Amino acid sequence: MTDADAIGPKQTGDGTGDIARDTRLVLVTGVSGAGRTTSLKIFEDFGFDAVDNLPLRLLPALLSGGTDLDQPLAIGLDIRTRDFGVDQFVDIVSDLRKQPGVNPMVVFVDAETGILQRRFTESRRPHPLTHDRPLVDAIEHEKRLMAPIAATADMIIDTSRLKSAELRKILQDQFAIGEKDAMAVFVKSFSFRQGVPGEADLVFDVRFLRNPHYDPELRLLTGLDDRVGAYIEKDQDFTGFMDRLKGLIGPVLPRYAQEGKSYLTIAIGCTGGQHRSVYIARMLNDWIAGLGYDVHLSHRDKPDEPKPGE
């Protein structure tokens, strides 16, 4: 997954809801190209026994008896799995949930059609439902077929603009894999032209601030440059906005943590995702880190700055 570029009961990429922290069985499914294989490998890295493309008819027999699993197990199933049927999958999961000691959690990975089309085009791998239909039609057809599973999934992750490392962090935190139990905070800058991040919990629009794009000396720089930051801070509303932003976010962070939220994504957007959003995200990230939270900063749409001499 090049830019796998994110979940309990009915999470839609926002991390809300409660996942059982002692989950022993995870069924990983979703649409082709959305990151099912990558997700399965992540579970394997963290000590789960991983089984990919298990024939659906074998799933009940594998878990029969209602006994607890000695080792956590992650099973990958999708439209390519032998004898896979959507209705059959839903029925089997429903039956498994009635068995004591099994408690299956269904993780469904999804992505935007355009993103999936790009991934298949770049990888040059055929979509399993392509046959005689165009790629976009195959992707949309699969989305319709898999919709009943998505509707009953415990956790839905939109990987459209998640990098593999972010997907790994989401799964690690959500399933309490590893030693860290504290809520992780992701601060992300983005361009509204490229769409709002699907995994965002809180979105803030900073397009009202003065735009360094109109200064020829700053146009090719980004919000990582202090000169861009100095320009933005000269806006008469900058200080008041930052004070109010901190006043809003500060009180809700501990409340989210108290509710058992494993991670929180705060997205800061401007027109091009290059100047204002990047700088505000930087400032917000540093402030949240100062509060003692496990915070991670990323810039989804920031272009590379020109090298000296270019």
Side-chain angles (χ1 to χ4, degrees):
M1 187 166 54
T2 55
D3 186 24
D5 214 340
I7 291 184
K10 203 49 67 237
Q11 299 198 34
T12 56
D14 62 3
T16 58
D18 297 322
I19 289 286
R21 308 294 280 183
D22 59 349
T23 298
R24 310 294 287 176
L25 173 63
V26 180
L27 304 180
V28 185
T29 186
V31 298
S32 304
R36 179 187 60 83
T37 300
T38 298
S39 300
L40 200 61
K41 289 180 179 178
I42 291 172
F43 279 112
E44 187 174 22
D45 289 343
F46 286 111
F48 281 67
D49 285 338
V51 180
D52 198 9
N53 285 320
L54 179 75
L56 196 56
R57 68 180 184 277
L58 299 181
L59 185 57
L62 178 66
L63 302 169
S64 63
T67 57
D68 291 335
L69 295 167
D70 294 331
Q71 183 74 11
L73 176 63
I75 300 176
L77 307 108
D78 68 3
I79 204 76
R80 291 168 291 189
T81 300
R82 184 178 301 177
D83 75 5
F84 186 88
V86 172
D87 293 339
Q88 183 184 7
F89 180 94
V90 172
D91 290 343
I92 289 175
V93 171
S94 178
D95 290 341
L96 290 175
R97 284 172 173 160
K98 298 174 184 177
Q99 292 186 23
V102 177
N103 187 29
M105 305 299 292
V106 178
V107 175
F108 189 97
V109 290
D110 198 1
E112 299 169 6
T113 297
I115 298 295
L116 293 172
Q117 182 182 19
R118 188 193 72 196
R119 291 177 185 172
F120 276 104
T121 301
E122 291 177 350
S123 67
R124 299 185 180 180
R125 297 186 61 184
H127 190 281
L129 299 182
T130 299
H131 304 305
D132 296 328
R133 57 166 60 94
L135 176 58
V136 172
D137 290 351
I139 293 171
E140 292 291 348
H141 180 55
E142 184 182 21
K143 280 178 171 285
R144 290 192 294 271
L145 287 177
M146 298 293 284
I149 295 178
T152 59
D154 299 287
M155 179 178 182
I156 300 176
I157 308 177
D158 185 343
T159 69
S160 298
R161 292 176 177 81
L162 285 180
K163 292 181 172 59
S164 295
E166 292 176 296
L167 176 60
R168 184 184 187 90
K169 183 65 175 175
I170 287 171
L171 293 174
Q172 178 182 7
D173 289 335
Q174 198 64 46
F175 286 89
I177 302 170
E179 299 179 355
K180 190 166 185 61
D181 293 325
M183 180 180 71
V185 180
F186 293 90
V187 179
K188 172 177 293 189
S189 69
F190 72 94
S191 163
F192 274 100
R193 289 174 179 166
Q194 304 301 320
V196 177
E199 70 275 15
D201 297 289
L202 303 174
V203 178
F204 297 96
D205 185 347
V206 297
R207 287 176 290 187
F208 67 91
L209 293 172
R210 66 193 307 230
N211 192 351
H213 173 80
Y214 297 109
D215 186 323
E217 295 183 359
L218 303 178
R219 180 172 299 172
L220 297 181
L221 301 177
T222 74
L224 299 181
D225 192 294
D226 290 339
R227 289 170 291 178
V228 171
Y231 181 93
I232 295 171
E233 289 190 12
K234 289 180 181 178
D235 189 299
Q236 62 180 0
D237 292 319
F238 171 81
T239 300
F241 168 73
M242 288 302 298
D243 289 344
R244 290 177 174 83
L245 182 62
K246 295 174 183 178
L248 173 63
I249 293 177
V252 303
L253 289 178
R255 295 299 302 272
Y256 279 124
Q258 290 169 14
E259 290 297 317
K261 196 171 181 65
S262 297
Y263 75 97
L264 178 77
T265 300
I266 303 172
I268 310 295
C270 66
T271 304
Q274 176 176 345
H275 298 110
R276 294 165 291 182
S277 63
V278 172
Y279 184 69
I280 300 301
R282 280 180 60 199
M283 297 299 100
L284 188 62
N285 176 84
D286 293 347
W287 176 72
I288 294 175
L291 298 178
Y293 287 92
D294 175 26
V295 61
H296 307 265
L297 176 66
S298 64
H299 305 292
R300 193 189 74 183
D301 303 313
K302 179 189 72 65
D304 293 331
E305 290 191 10
K307 297 179 180 179
E310 291 184 349

